[in-house]
Short mmCIF file of all heavy atoms in Angstrom, two decimals:
data_model
loop_
_atom_site.label_atom_id
_atom_site.label_comp_id
_atom_site.label_asym_id
_atom_site.label_seq_id
_atom_site.Cartn_x
_atom_site.Cartn_y
_atom_site.Cartn_z
N ARG K 470 -37.71 185.70 84.31
CA ARG K 470 -37.47 186.45 83.08
C ARG K 470 -37.01 187.88 83.39
O ARG K 470 -36.04 188.36 82.82
CB ARG K 470 -38.77 186.48 82.27
CG ARG K 470 -38.60 186.80 80.81
CD ARG K 470 -39.92 186.56 80.10
NE ARG K 470 -40.99 187.34 80.70
CZ ARG K 470 -41.41 188.50 80.18
NH1 ARG K 470 -40.90 188.98 79.10
NH2 ARG K 470 -42.38 189.17 80.79
N LEU G 169 -57.40 193.48 89.56
CA LEU G 169 -56.50 193.52 88.42
C LEU G 169 -55.62 194.75 88.55
O LEU G 169 -56.12 195.87 88.55
CB LEU G 169 -57.30 193.57 87.11
CG LEU G 169 -56.50 193.66 85.81
CD1 LEU G 169 -55.56 192.48 85.64
CD2 LEU G 169 -57.45 193.73 84.60
N ALA G 171 -52.83 196.99 86.94
CA ALA G 171 -52.20 197.24 85.65
C ALA G 171 -51.17 198.36 85.77
O ALA G 171 -51.39 199.33 86.48
CB ALA G 171 -53.25 197.63 84.62
N GLY G 172 -50.06 198.22 85.08
CA GLY G 172 -49.05 199.27 85.09
C GLY G 172 -47.67 198.71 84.83
O GLY G 172 -47.48 197.51 84.90
N ALA G 203 -47.00 184.04 85.36
CA ALA G 203 -47.45 183.50 84.08
C ALA G 203 -46.29 183.30 83.12
O ALA G 203 -46.31 182.40 82.31
CB ALA G 203 -48.50 184.40 83.46
N LEU G 235 -51.38 186.24 90.47
CA LEU G 235 -50.82 185.79 89.19
C LEU G 235 -50.15 186.97 88.50
O LEU G 235 -50.80 187.88 88.01
CB LEU G 235 -51.90 185.20 88.29
CG LEU G 235 -51.42 184.71 86.93
CD1 LEU G 235 -50.40 183.59 87.06
CD2 LEU G 235 -52.59 184.25 86.07
N ASP G 236 -48.83 186.94 88.53
CA ASP G 236 -48.06 188.05 87.98
C ASP G 236 -47.97 187.90 86.45
O ASP G 236 -47.99 186.79 85.93
CB ASP G 236 -46.64 188.01 88.58
CG ASP G 236 -45.97 189.37 88.50
OD1 ASP G 236 -46.60 190.31 88.01
OD2 ASP G 236 -44.81 189.47 88.94
N GLU G 237 -47.87 189.01 85.76
CA GLU G 237 -47.72 189.04 84.31
C GLU G 237 -48.82 188.24 83.60
O GLU G 237 -48.55 187.43 82.71
CB GLU G 237 -46.33 188.52 83.90
CG GLU G 237 -45.22 189.37 84.49
CD GLU G 237 -43.83 188.93 84.03
OE1 GLU G 237 -43.67 188.69 82.83
OE2 GLU G 237 -42.92 188.85 84.87
N ALA G 238 -50.04 188.47 84.02
CA ALA G 238 -51.18 187.73 83.43
C ALA G 238 -51.29 188.02 81.94
O ALA G 238 -51.79 187.20 81.18
CB ALA G 238 -52.47 188.11 84.14
N ASP G 239 -50.83 189.18 81.51
CA ASP G 239 -50.93 189.49 80.08
C ASP G 239 -49.90 188.73 79.25
O ASP G 239 -49.91 188.83 78.02
CB ASP G 239 -50.86 191.00 79.82
CG ASP G 239 -49.67 191.65 80.51
OD1 ASP G 239 -49.01 190.98 81.33
OD2 ASP G 239 -49.40 192.83 80.24
N ALA G 240 -49.04 187.94 79.90
CA ALA G 240 -48.15 187.07 79.13
C ALA G 240 -48.89 185.84 78.64
O ALA G 240 -48.39 185.11 77.80
CB ALA G 240 -46.95 186.65 79.99
N LEU G 241 -50.09 185.60 79.16
CA LEU G 241 -50.87 184.44 78.71
C LEU G 241 -51.54 184.74 77.37
O LEU G 241 -51.96 185.86 77.12
CB LEU G 241 -51.96 184.11 79.74
CG LEU G 241 -51.49 183.65 81.12
CD1 LEU G 241 -52.70 183.52 82.03
CD2 LEU G 241 -50.76 182.33 81.02
N THR G 242 -51.65 183.71 76.54
CA THR G 242 -52.37 183.88 75.28
C THR G 242 -53.85 184.04 75.56
O THR G 242 -54.31 183.76 76.67
CB THR G 242 -52.20 182.64 74.38
OG1 THR G 242 -52.79 181.52 75.07
CG2 THR G 242 -50.75 182.35 74.08
N VAL G 243 -54.58 184.47 74.54
CA VAL G 243 -56.02 184.67 74.73
C VAL G 243 -56.70 183.36 75.14
O VAL G 243 -57.52 183.34 76.05
CB VAL G 243 -56.64 185.24 73.44
CG1 VAL G 243 -58.15 185.22 73.52
CG2 VAL G 243 -56.15 186.66 73.21
N GLN G 246 -56.07 182.67 78.67
CA GLN G 246 -56.83 183.56 79.55
C GLN G 246 -58.28 183.09 79.70
O GLN G 246 -58.87 183.22 80.77
CB GLN G 246 -56.80 185.00 79.02
CG GLN G 246 -55.43 185.64 79.14
CD GLN G 246 -55.46 187.12 78.82
OE1 GLN G 246 -56.45 187.80 79.09
NE2 GLN G 246 -54.39 187.62 78.25
N LEU G 264 -54.59 189.72 89.84
CA LEU G 264 -53.81 189.57 88.61
C LEU G 264 -53.01 190.83 88.38
O LEU G 264 -53.50 191.93 88.65
CB LEU G 264 -54.74 189.35 87.41
CG LEU G 264 -55.81 188.27 87.54
CD1 LEU G 264 -56.63 188.20 86.27
CD2 LEU G 264 -55.16 186.93 87.81
N SER G 265 -51.79 190.68 87.91
CA SER G 265 -51.07 191.89 87.54
C SER G 265 -50.70 191.81 86.07
O SER G 265 -50.53 190.73 85.52
CB SER G 265 -49.82 192.06 88.40
OG SER G 265 -48.69 191.57 87.72
N CYS G 266 -50.66 192.96 85.43
CA CYS G 266 -50.32 192.98 84.01
C CYS G 266 -49.67 194.33 83.70
O CYS G 266 -49.81 195.28 84.46
CB CYS G 266 -51.56 192.80 83.15
SG CYS G 266 -52.74 194.13 83.34
N ASN G 267 -48.95 194.38 82.60
CA ASN G 267 -48.40 195.66 82.16
C ASN G 267 -49.45 196.47 81.42
O ASN G 267 -49.58 197.67 81.62
CB ASN G 267 -47.18 195.46 81.26
CG ASN G 267 -45.98 194.90 82.04
OD1 ASN G 267 -45.28 194.02 81.58
ND2 ASN G 267 -45.77 195.39 83.25
N TYR G 268 -50.22 195.79 80.58
CA TYR G 268 -51.23 196.50 79.80
C TYR G 268 -52.59 195.85 80.03
O TYR G 268 -52.77 194.68 79.71
CB TYR G 268 -50.90 196.45 78.31
CG TYR G 268 -49.52 196.97 78.01
CD1 TYR G 268 -48.46 196.11 77.75
CD2 TYR G 268 -49.28 198.35 78.00
CE1 TYR G 268 -47.20 196.59 77.51
CE2 TYR G 268 -48.01 198.83 77.75
CZ TYR G 268 -46.97 197.95 77.50
OH TYR G 268 -45.71 198.42 77.26
N SER G 269 -53.54 196.61 80.53
CA SER G 269 -54.84 196.01 80.79
C SER G 269 -55.55 195.64 79.49
O SER G 269 -56.38 194.75 79.45
CB SER G 269 -55.72 196.96 81.61
OG SER G 269 -55.96 198.13 80.87
N THR G 270 -55.16 196.30 78.39
CA THR G 270 -55.81 195.98 77.11
C THR G 270 -55.47 194.58 76.64
O THR G 270 -56.16 194.02 75.80
CB THR G 270 -55.39 196.97 76.02
OG1 THR G 270 -53.97 197.12 76.07
CG2 THR G 270 -56.03 198.32 76.21
N LYS G 271 -54.35 194.02 77.17
CA LYS G 271 -53.98 192.68 76.74
C LYS G 271 -54.66 191.61 77.57
O LYS G 271 -54.44 190.41 77.38
CB LYS G 271 -52.45 192.50 76.80
CG LYS G 271 -51.76 193.27 75.68
CD LYS G 271 -50.48 192.60 75.19
CE LYS G 271 -49.35 192.75 76.16
NZ LYS G 271 -48.05 192.36 75.71
N VAL G 272 -55.50 192.05 78.52
CA VAL G 272 -56.28 191.10 79.32
C VAL G 272 -57.68 191.06 78.73
O VAL G 272 -58.27 192.11 78.46
CB VAL G 272 -56.31 191.53 80.79
CG1 VAL G 272 -57.23 190.63 81.60
CG2 VAL G 272 -54.91 191.51 81.38
N ILE G 273 -58.22 189.86 78.50
CA ILE G 273 -59.51 189.76 77.83
C ILE G 273 -60.64 190.37 78.66
O ILE G 273 -60.59 190.37 79.89
CB ILE G 273 -59.86 188.29 77.48
CG1 ILE G 273 -59.88 187.43 78.75
CG2 ILE G 273 -58.88 187.73 76.46
CD1 ILE G 273 -60.42 186.03 78.52
#
Side-chain angles (χ1 to χ4, degrees):
Chain K
R470 200 170 57 99
Chain G
L169 178 60
L235 180 62
D236 202 1
E237 300 184 45
D239 50 351
L241 295 174
T242 62
V243 170
Q246 290 189 33
L264 310 179
S265 97
C266 64
N267 291 138
Y268 306 102
S269 63
T270 47
K271 287 212 286 190
V272 174
I273 58 171

